[in-house]
Amino acid sequence: MQISARGDYAVRAALSLATAYPALLSTQAIAAEQDMPRKFLEAVLADLRRAGIVRAQRGAEGGYALARPPRDITIGQILRAVDGPLAGVRGLRPEETQYAGAAENLPRLWVAVRAAVRQVVDEVSLAEMASGKLPGHVRKLIARPDAWEPR
């Protein structure tokens, strides 16, 4: 799975908002804390607002806040809001792929890959991520000897 810059920035911005929840944060404050370009952050926050993940308040005391408590927002929801579906194969959803011959079973593998990704990003909330208290099945994955090795 490849996490885009947009997805990475969206999750980081949402984590900043989670730690401040329910208070508002300005784009300038988030950009400074997370070392992000402000203009790009504004575009990412607009995507999150359209998805109902954040809310915006205009004015001198304005800014952004999460639209729901951090425990009710998953990392997967954020990634989908800015990048669309989590797993795609040449622009298709895994279940939409079709192959002949030796590759005929490949769609099952692509569906399994998507399910594995969902098992992590859809089961970790902003609250868990911000506190560092990840679910047990995610902690087990991180603890595997090869988890931190590049391949």
Side-chain angles (χ1 to χ4, degrees):
M1 177 180 182
Q2 181 73 26
I3 307 293
S4 71
R6 194 173 197 84
D8 178 58
Y9 283 15
V11 171
R12 291 167 50 204
L15 286 167
S16 290
L17 293 170
T19 59
Y21 183 80
L24 296 167
L25 287 180
S26 69
T27 55
Q28 186 173 350
I30 298 168
E33 177 189 342
Q34 293 297 323
D35 191 26
M36 299 178 186
R38 195 166 136 232
K39 285 293 183 190
F40 192 53
L41 174 61
E42 288 171 356
V44 167
L45 288 169
D47 288 343
L48 295 176
R49 186 181 52 75
R50 280 188 290 278
I53 294 171
V54 302
R55 63 180 179 81
Q57 182 175 312
R58 294 181 185 254
E61 300 297 317
Y64 288 86
L66 293 177
R68 301 185 307 274
R71 71 178 176 278
D72 296 341
I73 301 170
T74 67
I75 303 303
Q77 290 169 332
I78 294 163
L79 292 173
R80 284 185 193 89
V82 298
D83 283 335
L86 294 175
V89 181
R90 296 177 296 113
L92 298 172
R93 292 180 182 270
E95 71 276 7
E96 294 172 338
T97 60
Q98 219 173 26
Y99 306 98
E104 71 180 327
N105 292 310
L106 199 49
R108 293 170 49 199
L109 180 68
W110 299 151
V111 168
V113 168
R114 179 181 61 191
V117 170
R118 285 178 176 172
Q119 205 169 25
V120 175
V121 298
D122 286 342
E123 296 180 22
V124 176
S125 72
L126 284 175
E128 291 167 320
M129 196 73 250
S131 72
K133 295 177 183 170
L134 298 173
H137 70 283
V138 175
R139 287 194 315 270
K140 283 181 185 176
L141 289 170
I142 296 167
R144 289 176 53 166
D146 65 341
W148 295 88
E149 293 177 15
R151 288 190 190 175

